[in-house]
Amino acid sequence: MAQAEIPYQESMELHHPHSWVTKYWYSQDHKVIAIQYGITAMAVGLVALVLSWIMRMQIGFPETGAAWGITPDIYYQSITMHGMIMVIYLLTAFLLGSFGNYLIPLMLGARDMVFPFVNMISYHVYLLSVIVLLLGYVLPGGPTGAGWTLYPPQAILSGTPGVDWGIITMLGSLAIFIVAFTMGGLNYVTTILQARTRGMTLMRMPLSVWGIFAATVLGLLAFPALFVSAVMMLLDKLIHTSFFMPAIASAFDAAATQYDGGSPLLFQHLFWFFGHPEVYIVALPAFGVVSDLLSVHARKNIFGYRMMVWAIVAIGVLSFIVWAHHMYVAGMHPYFGFFFATTTLIIAVPTAIKVYNWTITLWRANIKFTVPMLFAISFVITFVVGGLTGLFLGNVIVDVPLSDTYFVVAHFHMVMGVSPILVIFGGIYHWYPKITGRMLNDTIGKWHFWVTAIGTYLIYFPMHYLGFVGTPRRYYDNVLASGGESAFYPESAALLNAGISITAFVVGAFQFLFIYNLVVSYWRGREAGPNPWGATSLEWRTPQTPPIHGNWGDQLPTVHRWAYDFSVPGEKEDFIPQDVPRQA
Amino acid sequence: MAEASAGHATIIQDWASDVTTFKGVPWGKAMMWIFLLSDTFIFSIFLTSYMTVRATTAEPWPNASEVFSLMAFGHSVPLLLIAIMTFDLITSSGTMALAVNYGYRRDKRKAIFFICATAFFGAVFVGMQMFEWYKLISEGVRPWGNPWGAAQFGSCFFMITGFHGLHVSAGVVYLLIIAYRLHKGVYDKTNFEIVEIVGLYWHFVDLVWVFIFAFFYLW
Amino acid sequence: MASEVGQQHPLTLYFWIWGLLFVVSAASYATDYMEAGYLRWFLILAFMLIKAGYIVAIFMHLKYERWALIYALLLPPLVILILVYLMATEADYTWLTRVVYFGDDPYPARGPMPGAH
Amino acid sequence: MAVAIFLLVLVVGSVVFTFVSPWWFTDIASNWGTIDTTVLITFWVCGVVFVAVGLFMAYSTWKFRHQEDSRAEYEPENSRLEWALTIVTTIGVALMLAPGLIVWEDYVNVPDDAQEFEVLAKQWTWAFRFPGEDGKFGTVHVRNINVDNPFGMNPDDPNGADDVLINRNEVHLPINQPFKALLRSNDVLHDFWVPEIRAKMDAVPGMITYFWFEPTKVGKYDILCAELCGRGHYTMRGEFFIDTQEDFDSWLAAQPTWEQMQAGISPKVYSALARRGREVADTQGCFACHSLDGSQVVGPTWQGLWGSERQLTDGSSVTVDEPYIIESIREPAVQLVEGFAPVMIPYGADLISDDDVEALVAYLREETSPEEEAAEE
């Protein structure tokens, strides 16, 4: 027992690199790995952005789109790749791979992840998964167009684009991604549980770490379901096993007669057994980070820290028993609706508590409207809309007329598309000074914020109403198919869609301004100093900015207080860092 | 002394403490446990899928007891090879437990011997499994069909035992690497917890087999 | 420093468990000779759990770990039980529609088995 | 200040948008007004919360903006407030959930007096089946499906003989009679949805799913497929009529039963290639859009097609021959017949092989050329 009291990390041997290659490519430093993850995720995110332009072009201007060569195949391939890239390769990779890697050791006062070598491999496997995913574009048949949910039998039968190689690269890439995630995730969890510095109890951890921790645990337990279903679908595709394939009479696929007896619903259950926790894998780190941003820039402690932690834990646990609310009209056992509607609406309670606590944090605060704070505030309001519309779709009977319509598209873009991305932007503006030692340009940042925040709301809010009308999602063309106007797609809806598309082009273009800011500020930005925001958590207390490999000097910091001692009555400064001792 | 401090009251104490949550658990061991938890989910979902397709299909399900029988002494003995494989794997688990024990006694020679013995039994297991696959394939069982009923019988069999076999094979390699590194003295500065870590993995492989045996062969 | 940190137990414990595992495995194997039915299913599950319990508790030393670790490892798999229960219900429902609407045989006779040759 | 205004505009704007926007549910044509009610309850509860939270944030960001001389309040926790909020939220959630579950109970339990009809979905067309006079469906199986048996009827099942089969994208139902829709799919997931009915459900291959409803308003409605089913998903449309009982009865009586269909199969002698072509036309679902009897469905009729003159959208005209037919399959939008929308997806080589196209051409030549018809008479 005596030995366990001594932090291993004091004696941790770090591999100090020398050449450029070992320093920036084969680096074992968690900070470099975080940046590698971040840059790769952003690069692949730009691909997803261009794909979203393609589909918005087609939805908003079907005739022009078709004239420009957007065929149904290209359209369906674009929506599929856009969805998968955003959910997995951008959001999951960025929030856990990048924020997780950068923040966990620094916020906990550790020198690095517990197994830096495995951590390094994790990134390279992730890179491989991205390459395999994009290979779909150069192999015969193009990437898969099965929709990001990849529902069989459709995903592997001719009649869907990309059944030659696209579906194989997609499933293979997912399996590789899961391997990468597992290697990273084991590191995050073990580091958080076993390698904190002295005084850093779990209940003193910043909420960012809590969010990342819960999300990683969810990932380690949920990704297996996706892995197994990817393996089974690959077998179905390649050697004609029948896990998900019942007897089929396909007009387009002569090989389909080989299948018999499988269950398509099994795939859907497994997919969502992964897929629903996946929503929270993306949401929980965002919840955590935004709590920290709000607290720092409002100069006020986060309200109800303990409740926030328990809410994160409760959401994490409940997220495993709500999965089939994605399947209310999938033809599953009718009585499942009662169970899943109830669990789903229960999960709304801890989520609502988080929203209350964010807003109450603003009450009687001293709010500085810095760019990170702007993004944090717009996150809250966007998330409120997305969360409330979730109550529509979670309540089984309300879901019936709305599922598979634009209401769903609007809901999930609000709640797990725009919201986490706003947090990612906020986080980058917040931690960029730590990472580079320089501030991002404030003027460009504000332009970026206003266009993004207003633009995304204009894009997605009206979409809910298209859903009420009954406009179905994943339609290449609403007008042509009916030969004119129809009740579920009146002419006014076509006009609205054109407007949404134009807004989307503008908002998308402004993201390049953000990238310009990232690049230019690296050289031209104002010097930041060690703690430009007056924050309390440990990452701002490193001896150097940016922190060197190993993060801390000879001694690890010792933690004496929680991370939210802002504006403590009677103190001179309006913030007290975590490693400042309490007065006796 | 472990028992002495292991009352239920320690749960809150441990989770509320700083530095480490799992007291006395080295990083590598904690990471292996968490990995095994994740792996548990993988095998659980394999088995759940097997249950689902078996219960869903309206085709007859072949009788495992007869499919996996072998002729011995002029009689057809059900599940003979599977029983031998089960006992082989338990034996390897026993030798692994001994290796862990000798590891913590810092008895390097005995630890290496028992690790190698474990690897040997593991290799034998994989060999028997290959024989079993060979026999089934020669009888016409394929992942996409078989002569006696539901196609999912072969699909599930090859997928689940194949995945388990991969784990065993990887385990054999892992064991041999650890034995070699022990021999080279890589771990001399530690208290040989690495043996327990590889042991955890190996026992887990055995554990999975217990479930496969019950659900696939006996059910 | 080393000896009291790791999992140090007398060798006889392992031999005992080793032997017990053999016995339970043999018993488990013996269920194959029983008639199918609830008793057999119960015994299969019971022997399976006993074996799994011995391996996890003794060989993997989980019994000797602190409760913090034990609970962290044993609680998460409970969600799998929910999945299993719901999937069993779901599979049964799908099967039922096949029997009712597709005219599939609810009690199909098993085909010829290889045991004969 | 800007942030507070932004939030205020956002809240007010959203509310105003809701009231002035022309987009809301289509007029309901079924008994599921209760679904609309649950949506409305949810809408109001959520709307109130949205406005409250938004206004609270707008006020806070205006009132508590940074000032050099002021300081934030230090208030880590407030148990009473937190518990109060939790309880209020739980009550609000229960208020939405309870009616939802009650209506769902109604949704999954079919009333005893409901009649049945079957929806058969396939890439990318619909077909329908009624149980006929005995009120019982014959069993079906994908294995039985062939060109003469597009529904996969079990030939040995006596219940199937009088089943009424409608192998095209059109179905009629009588008003004020509850119906249980049994959903079946030949190939992939589809979803039978008429927005005005509100109810929907996926059709899953390898099983039967269902939902029920009672049509309440005479009219013609669109059938959509609401579950992505491949590249032709958006073209998978049909017509749904709610008729008076008399209209429905006469419509149904005009549809063939399985027995009649079997008796009437292949009265005509085709060449081997053309027979194959007929099979292709059937499995590919051509007849869902193209009729043989001159009626105009989604696409131009095939009656008298071969050698006829067709007026195109660009004003020119073309004589139907082999190259034109091949082009119309491979690139249907290039030479479009006047009066039709470019609905058909291009059937590339991965969907129909060259051999099959050749067979189709042979079939069309034998089936639709005027000489043949004249010879027959």
Side-chain angles (χ1 to χ4, degrees), chain A residues 62-201:
Chain A
E63 280 171 42
T64 323
W68 286 5
I70 303 175
T71 61
D73 280 19
I74 291 178
Y75 175 76
Y76 285 119
Q77 288 166 333
S78 300
I79 62 168
T80 305
M81 294 295 278
H82 170 79
M84 197 57 102
I85 288 176
M86 291 304 286
V87 172
I88 306 279
Y89 300 90
L90 172 63
L91 289 173
T92 307
F94 205 103
L95 286 163
L96 296 177
S98 194
F99 280 170
N101 254 315
Y102 200 87
L103 297 178
I104 290 171
L106 279 170
M107 283 187 160
L108 296 180
R111 295 209 181 277
D112 204 323
M113 289 291 178
V114 285
F115 291 100
F117 183 77
V118 180
N119 203 19
M120 172 185 83
I121 304 284
S122 161
Y123 167 71
H124 288 97
V125 177
Y126 163 64
L127 184 63
L128 177 69
S129 78
V130 170
I131 292 169
V132 171
L133 178 78
L134 296 179
L135 267 184
Y137 272 104
V138 293
L139 289 170
T144 178
W148 89 278
T149 47
L150 304 177
Y151 281 175
Q154 179 246 135
I156 59 177
L157 288 184
S158 300
T160 295
V163 288
D164 309 319
W165 279 99
I167 186 69
I168 297 172
T169 54
M170 172 63 82
L171 295 170
S173 169
L174 286 174
I176 297 170
F177 179 87
I178 292 164
V179 172
F181 174 83
T182 305
M183 289 196 284
L186 289 174
N187 252 315
Y188 312 156
V189 174
T190 315
T191 307
I192 292 169
L193 288 179
Q194 298 295 86
R196 282 163 280 137
T197 189
R198 283 189 201 81
M200 181 60 89
T201 62

Side-chain angles (χ1 to χ4, degrees), chain A residues 12-47:
Chain A
M12 187 172 179
E13 283 179 32
L14 287 174
H15 174 266
H16 285 293
H18 299 290
S19 73
W20 187 90
V21 171
T22 50
K23 217 168 171 176
Y24 297 111
W25 189 245
Y26 293 111
S27 173
Q28 300 187 13
D29 183 353
H30 70 101
K31 298 184 289 298
V32 178
I33 296 170
I35 290 161
Q36 288 175 327
Y37 258 111
I39 290 176
T40 316
M42 267 196 257
V44 75
L46 287 182
V47 175

Side-chain angles (χ1 to χ4, degrees), chain A residues 72-73 76 145-147 151-154 157-161 246-249 251-252 260 264-265 268 299-304 306-307 328-331 334-335 337-338 341-342 345 349 352-353 356-357 359-360 362-369 374 377 380-381 384-385 388 391-392 395-398 400-405 450 454 457 461-462 465 468-470 472-477 480-483 486-488 492-493 496 562 564-569 571-574, chain D residues 1-3 6-7 10-11 14 17-18 21-26 35 38-39 42-43 46 49-50 53-54 56-57 59-61 64-67 70-79 81-83 85-86 89-90 93 96-97 99-101 103-105 107-109 123-124 141-143 145 186-189 191 193 195-196 198-202 204-207 209-210 222 224-237 283-284 341-343 345-347 350-352:
Chain A
D73 280 19
Y76 285 119
Y151 281 175
Q154 179 246 135
L157 288 184
S158 300
T160 295
I248 283 169
F252 305 113
D260 196 3
L265 284 181
Q268 298 184 29
R299 313 309 297 157
K300 181 169 179 254
N301 63 285
I302 191 77
F303 178 78
R306 282 190 303 172
M307 207 70 153
Y328 287 145
V329 297
Y335 286 174
F338 297 109
T342 309
L345 265 68
V349 175
I353 289 171
Y356 299 146
N357 286 7
T359 54
I360 297 174
L362 299 176
W363 184 253
R364 295 199 178 141
N366 192 13
I367 304 167
K368 289 184 174 170
F369 292 106
L374 294 175
I377 291 175
V380 176
I381 195 73
V384 166
V385 176
L388 289 172
L391 289 169
F392 285 73
N395 196 351
V396 52
I397 195 70
V398 182
V400 168
L402 296 175
S403 67
D404 297 311
T405 68
W450 285 111
I454 298 175
Y457 201 84
F461 186 76
Y465 295 83
F468 284 128
V469 181
R473 62 189 284 216
R474 293 170 164 175
Y475 263 34
Y476 167 72
D477 195 320
L480 289 185
S482 59
S486 50
F488 66 88
S492 57
L496 177 65
W562 70 334
Y564 301 98
D565 264 344
F566 290 102
S567 306
V568 178
E571 297 286 339
K572 191 165 148 291
E573 293 282 341
D574 70 349
Chain D
M1 196 59 145
V3 176
F6 164 62
L7 291 170
L10 207 138
V11 172
S14 301
F17 183 89
T18 303
S21 99
W23 305 295
W24 193 247
F25 281 122
T26 44
I35 291 186
T38 57
V39 175
T42 315
F43 192 88
C46 291
V49 174
F50 168 71
V53 172
F56 181 82
M57 280 179 70
Y59 178 75
S60 303
T61 46
F64 305 112
R65 61 191 182 279
H66 181 68
Q67 271 144 2
S70 86
R71 260 199 149 169
E73 191 185 65
Y74 187 75
E75 188 193 26
E77 295 195 320
N78 182 339
S79 299
L81 177 61
E82 287 174 69
W83 280 112
L85 285 172
T86 309
T89 309
T90 311
V93 162
M96 289 184 280
L97 179 63
L101 293 186
V103 180
W104 181 250
E105 167 91 36
Y107 190 80
V108 297
N109 291 310
Q123 283 174 327
W124 291 288
H141 204 288
V142 162
R143 280 192 288 267
I145 291 178
N186 275 352
D187 36 40
V188 304
L189 300 174
D191 190 303
W193 186 36
E196 288 82 354
R198 299 294 186 266
K200 65 158 87 80
M201 192 58 75
D202 281 8
V204 183
M207 69 182 289
T209 58
Y210 75 91
D222 289 303
L224 313 179
C225 178
E227 184 69 60
L228 180 57
C229 56
R231 55 165 66 92
H233 171 50
Y234 66 102
T235 65
M236 190 163 163
R237 300 279 300 281
T283 53
Q284 297 278 16
V343 177
I345 60 157
Y347 282 75
D350 54 333
L351 291 184
I352 304 187

Side-chain angles (χ1 to χ4, degrees), chain D residues 305-356:
Chain D
L305 175 70
W306 191 267
S308 67
E309 196 84 358
R310 294 268 163 145
Q311 199 70 30
L312 301 182
T313 42
D314 61 3
S316 65
S317 64
V318 66
T319 308
V320 176
D321 53 4
E322 181 160 351
Y324 173 73
I325 289 177
I326 293 176
E327 189 193 51
S328 299
I329 295 167
R330 295 288 190 215
E331 300 280 347
V334 176
Q335 299 201 54
L336 199 64
V337 175
E338 180 73 62
F340 291 92
V343 177
M344 187 169 151
I345 60 157
Y347 282 75
D350 54 333
L351 291 184
I352 304 187
S353 69
D354 284 341
D355 290 350
D356 282 356

Side-chain angles (χ1 to χ4, degrees), chain B residues 96-106 195, chain C residues 7-11 14 61:
Chain B
M96 191 68 236
L98 295 184
V100 174
N101 200 278
Y102 283 114
Y104 278 126
R105 289 168 199 234
R106 300 191 69 79
V195 186
Chain C
Q7 294 287 353
Q8 189 60 273
H9 308 286
L11 278 177
Y14 295 108
H61 298 130

Side-chain angles (χ1 to χ4, degrees), chain A residues 494-576:
Chain A
L495 268 173
L496 177 65
N497 257 332
I500 288 175
S501 289
I502 291 169
T503 320
F505 298 147
V506 174
V507 173
F510 262 78
Q511 306 315 310
F512 289 93
L513 195 65
F514 169 67
I515 289 177
Y516 168 82
N517 196 357
L518 281 184
V519 174
V520 169
S521 299
Y522 184 76
W523 286 283
R524 300 267 181 82
R526 190 158 50 79
E527 292 274 352
N531 191 358
W533 310 117
T536 57
S537 45
L538 283 184
E539 81 272 23
W540 302 101
R541 305 289 288 171
T542 55
Q544 290 86 10
T545 298
I548 55 162
H549 193 196
N551 297 343
W552 314 100
D554 295 336
Q555 274 256 306
L556 293 177
T558 304
V559 169
H560 298 277
R561 55 184 74 235
W562 70 334
Y564 301 98
D565 264 344
F566 290 102
S567 306
V568 178
E571 297 286 339
K572 191 165 148 291
E573 293 282 341
D574 70 349
F575 70 103
I576 313 171

Side-chain angles (χ1 to χ4, degrees), chain D residues 104-130:
Chain D
W104 181 250
E105 167 91 36
D106 211 16
Y107 190 80
V108 297
N109 291 310
V110 184
D112 295 333
D113 61 338
Q115 295 181 10
E116 293 183 331
F117 77 108
E118 184 193 65
V119 179
L120 172 60
K122 48 197 173 176
Q123 283 174 327
W124 291 288
T125 60
W126 302 99
F128 303 90
R129 183 162 67 119
F130 286 83

